[in-house]
Amino acid sequence: MNILITNDDGIYSEGLTALVQEMSKIANITVVAPDRERSATAHAITMHKPLRAEKIHIPNSKVSGWKVNGTPSDCVKLALEALLEFTPELVLSGINRGPNLGTDVIYSGTVSAAIEAALSGVPAVALSIINHNHNYENVSFDSAAQLAKKLCMQILEKVFPEDSLLNINIPSVEQDKIAGVAVTRLGTIRYKNSFDRRMDPRGKIYYWLAGEAIDNTEIGSDVWAVKNNYISITPLLFDLTKYEVIETIKKWDLQI
């Protein structure tokens, strides 16, 4: 079995290394990932400069791969269309350092890499770890990777849904504190005071994106699940059409 692993935290990130080490116990692993952190790049692709892929070895493993001077979506697209001589049975993106929940998936490079695989018809899973105190210095990526492997082994036995991907968020708690697995919908996350207005040493104003998240913890959402120590699995569809509104817009009878 062949699995492609990518991420948006960069090819040298702790989450990717842990995932490679664990998944290589059950599959042949190839890594194609950004050469540096490319978080919050969403589904951006590189069009106005060349992409360069450099062959490297993943630390503490027997796995080799490519580091690419592009986005997560670039990495998956390049892997599937140019670098690999095979089509992987599964694409994993992560393990991301921090959550990808609710409406934040729109901005996520981790989720977008999985979307790129799904666009090519390859089953894909985005993986993220969430720490409730927002401190990621001591989170256990090894434990999250073990849980990810258990889930992937079961997922691979099923008929993967077409035109879809799975967005999985794993709470950073001891494994015996995990409440279970919850299949969820996307929650809603909004931010207050999103921009911090500052002044540089030359007296010019600049803005730093910050803000405090305001969570909607409605039961059944991914936000609710991880707050209650469930592993959240949310099936995502990359077709953004709101079909139930099509007939309403037709009735507007817009003319030119």
Side-chain angles (χ1 to χ4, degrees):
M1 177 171 57
N2 294 302
I3 293 177
L4 171 65
I5 293 181
T6 190
N7 72 350
D8 74 355
D9 289 331
I11 198 163
Y12 299 111
S13 71
E14 188 178 355
L16 183 141
T17 299
L19 187 61
V20 167
Q21 291 171 345
E22 196 63 30
M23 296 305 297
S24 61
K25 297 175 182 177
I26 63 167
N28 299 316
I29 304 299
T30 304
V31 174
V32 183
D35 59 1
R36 61 191 184 280
E37 183 174 350
R38 298 303 297 263
S39 297
T41 53
H43 207 100
I45 56 174
T46 301
M47 297 181 64
H48 302 296
K49 66 177 183 180
L51 287 175
R52 303 188 187 277
E54 180 183 341
K55 200 78 178 283
I56 70 161
H57 176 77
I58 305 301
N60 302 315
S61 76
K62 297 180 180 179
V63 174
S64 62
W66 287 268
K67 63 178 182 180
V68 178
N69 64 328
T71 67
S73 296
D74 284 332
C75 292
V76 175
K77 195 173 185 67
L78 187 65
L80 297 179
E81 298 180 17
L83 295 177
L84 303 185
E85 297 179 352
F86 57 87
T87 299
E89 281 79 17
L90 182 67
V91 172
L92 299 179
S93 182
I95 300 170
N96 189 65
R97 184 177 180 270
N100 278 302
L101 297 167
T103 43
D104 280 354
V105 302
I106 295 170
Y107 311 106
S108 169
T110 302
V111 173
S112 290
I115 290 174
E116 187 62 43
L119 285 169
S120 295
V122 181
V125 177
L127 295 160
S128 304
I129 189 169
I130 175 170
N131 195 2
H132 297 312
N133 64 15
H134 307 295
N135 180 0
Y136 289 90
E137 296 301 320
N138 297 309
V139 298
S140 177
F141 285 103
D142 291 337
S143 177
Q146 292 167 12
L147 293 169
K149 184 186 73 175
K150 290 180 182 179
L151 291 171
C152 287
M153 289 174 67
Q154 297 171 69
I155 289 168
L156 286 164
E157 294 176 350
K158 311 300 181 184
V159 177
F160 202 90
E162 291 185 6
D163 300 329
S164 305
L165 58 132
L166 301 181
N167 184 40
I168 299 180
N169 283 272
I170 301 172
S172 178
V173 296
E174 298 294 332
Q175 290 194 21
D176 60 1
K177 300 290 179 59
I178 296 287
V181 174
V183 180
T184 59
R185 64 181 180 276
L186 290 178
T188 301
I189 300 178
R190 291 189 171 87
Y191 294 87
K192 63 180 180 180
N193 302 321
S194 294
F195 288 95
D196 187 5
R197 187 175 185 270
R198 301 180 183 181
M199 183 180 293
D200 70 19
R202 292 178 177 156
K204 294 189 176 183
I205 300 298
Y206 68 96
Y207 297 88
W208 195 273
L209 183 60
E212 179 183 346
I214 306 170
D215 299 341
N216 179 349
T217 54
E218 185 178 4
I219 293 175
S221 72
D222 53 357
V223 178
W224 169 85
V226 297
K227 281 200 167 184
N228 289 277
N229 287 341
Y230 286 92
I231 295 174
S232 171
I233 301 182
T234 308
L236 301 181
L237 178 71
F238 48 78
D239 181 352
L240 299 180
T241 307
K242 191 165 185 179
Y243 289 96
E244 60 267 31
V245 179
I246 288 177
E247 293 304 317
T248 299
I249 305 302
K250 285 181 178 179
K251 290 176 183 177
W252 291 1
D253 193 28
L254 299 175
Q255 302 290 330
I256 57 171

